[in-house]
Amino acid sequence: GEAAEPHLGAIAERLADDVWYIRKMACDILGKHGEAAEQYLDAVAACLKDNKSSVQFAACLALQKHGKAGEAEVTVVVQYLKHESWLTRQAACQAMGDLGQAAEPHLGAVAERLADDEWRVRLAACEVLGKHGEAAVPHLGALAQCLSD
């Protein structure tokens, strides 16, 4: 909340911490602080190249919350559509729904999740395709097969 805003600079410094989960948490926090964190978004974007995928994903989501997602962020999220954890696949689908036009070239990867073993991932993929309207038309056949799910 607002109590954290005076400390956002110190939190942004943690984006370079040696411990990966500290970097991830810094991305998470900065993603939640709207305009107060805008000045730190370049440092958050640098975390897209982190050696830990969890930090990359957190950076992507933080940038997406600030409306700063582009092709680099989408590319990071697409990687998680095939993650071993269904929770991560579901989160990646949901993020694709919020990434706007930048996600549209990758809707085929989302459509592949319509055949996921986990129903919650399939539901998230359906919702994403619905959000993208006309751009999802090439995937209507796969979407129609989910109607009996």
Side-chain angles (χ1 to χ4, degrees), residues 57 60-61 64 69 74 77 81 89-100 103 128 131-132:
F57 193 57
C60 178
L61 294 179
Q64 174 255 319
V74 173
V77 174
L81 290 170
R89 294 191 308 274
Q90 179 188 32
C93 281
Q94 291 167 337
M96 291 293 282
D98 295 330
L99 290 172
V128 169
K131 283 183 177 182
H132 284 281

Side-chain angles (χ1 to χ4, degrees), residues 35-68:
E35 287 184 30
E38 289 283 324
Q39 62 185 314
Y40 307 111
L41 293 184
D42 287 342
V44 171
C47 290
L48 292 171
K49 296 178 181 167
D50 197 276
N51 63 348
K52 281 293 207 181
S53 59
S54 296
V55 177
Q56 294 172 0
F57 193 57
C60 178
L61 294 179
L63 292 167
Q64 174 255 319
K65 288 177 185 175
H66 285 273
K68 304 289 185 190

Side-chain angles (χ1 to χ4, degrees), residues 21-132:
Y21 61 84
I22 299 292
R23 297 189 306 273
K24 179 196 174 301
M25 292 303 299
C27 286
D28 291 343
I29 292 166
L30 292 169
K32 294 177 182 176
H33 282 280
E35 287 184 30
E38 289 283 324
Q39 62 185 314
Y40 307 111
L41 293 184
D42 287 342
V44 171
C47 290
L48 292 171
K49 296 178 181 167
D50 197 276
N51 63 348
K52 281 293 207 181
S53 59
S54 296
V55 177
Q56 294 172 0
F57 193 57
C60 178
L61 294 179
L63 292 167
Q64 174 255 319
K65 288 177 185 175
H66 285 273
K68 304 289 185 190
E71 183 60 32
E73 291 77 18
V74 173
T75 301
V76 170
V77 174
V78 167
Q79 296 173 36
Y80 288 96
L81 290 170
K82 294 185 179 184
H83 194 273
E84 63 188 43
S85 165
W86 72 264
L87 286 167
T88 301
R89 294 191 308 274
Q90 179 188 32
C93 281
Q94 291 167 337
M96 291 293 282
D98 295 330
L99 290 172
Q101 287 184 323
E104 290 180 359
H106 304 281
L107 291 180
V110 174
E112 289 176 13
R113 298 289 35 107
L114 295 171
D116 199 277
D117 291 337
E118 174 57 47
W119 69 268
R120 288 167 273 216
V121 176
R122 295 191 304 271
L123 176 62
C126 287
E127 291 171 345
V128 169
L129 293 172
K131 283 183 177 182
H132 284 281

